[in-house]
Amino acid sequence: MAMRRILMTSLLLAGWSIAEAAPAQDAILPASVIFATSTGYWEDDGNAPDVERAPTGAESVANPEGGAAQRHGYYKLFAVRQPDRTSKVYLQQIAQTETGPAIASTIELQEFSDLKPYVTDIRPENSNGIIKQPGLFATVYLKTDPAAEPDGWTVLIDEFGDITVEKATN
């Protein structure tokens, strides 16, 4: 019985040290992404440009055959913490493809970057999931002074794809 305990303890400790020595897998989501929401809906005939204010590093989800095909998907709005603790807010168009979701475009919402905000939350209009009406409505809660109370700012994309960012009114 004592020998069995020693063997079991040895195996347990050996397994424990192997588990500790194994390298951690890459993070699925970078630690600098502090808030994110997926909401809204978009669709086009395949010839429409992606969201306005074209980014510099957007991935393209072009049809490899070259023909225009109906595209659709949803939006993702997320905040990325900067080294100075302020945040930048980005908007992505996520295309629903046969192989799964793919990033159609990514833009920085400069209205937020100009404020150098401390983002405290991002919320969709509702929590029912992706809606089937074109557009997006979400609220970004932020502070421009770390000691202040957060203000709500709305991000609105209408059915034509025009983006509006403004301080929320009650």
Side-chain angles (χ1 to χ4, degrees), residues 36-121:
T37 187
S38 296
T39 188
Y41 179 78
W42 64 270
E43 65 182 8
D44 64 34
D45 62 3
N47 292 318
D50 294 322
V51 289
E52 297 296 319
R53 309 181 217 186
T56 54
E59 297 177 33
S60 176
V61 189
N63 188 348
E65 289 81 38
Q70 182 75 21
R71 300 184 319 160
H72 68 279
Y74 57 93
Y75 296 101
K76 185 188 310 180
L77 188 65
F78 61 96
V80 177
R81 187 172 179 173
Q82 303 301 299
D84 66 356
R85 295 183 40 217
T86 63
S87 299
K88 292 189 177 190
V89 178
Y90 294 89
L91 174 69
Q92 287 183 329
Q93 269 185 299
I94 308 297
Q96 296 286 38
T97 68
E98 290 180 16
T99 59
I103 298 171
S105 68
T106 302
I107 61 168
E108 179 181 344
L109 296 178
Q110 194 62 44
E111 294 88 343
F112 291 115
S113 297
D114 292 346
L115 294 172
K116 297 195 179 294
Y118 300 89
V119 175
T120 61
D121 199 1

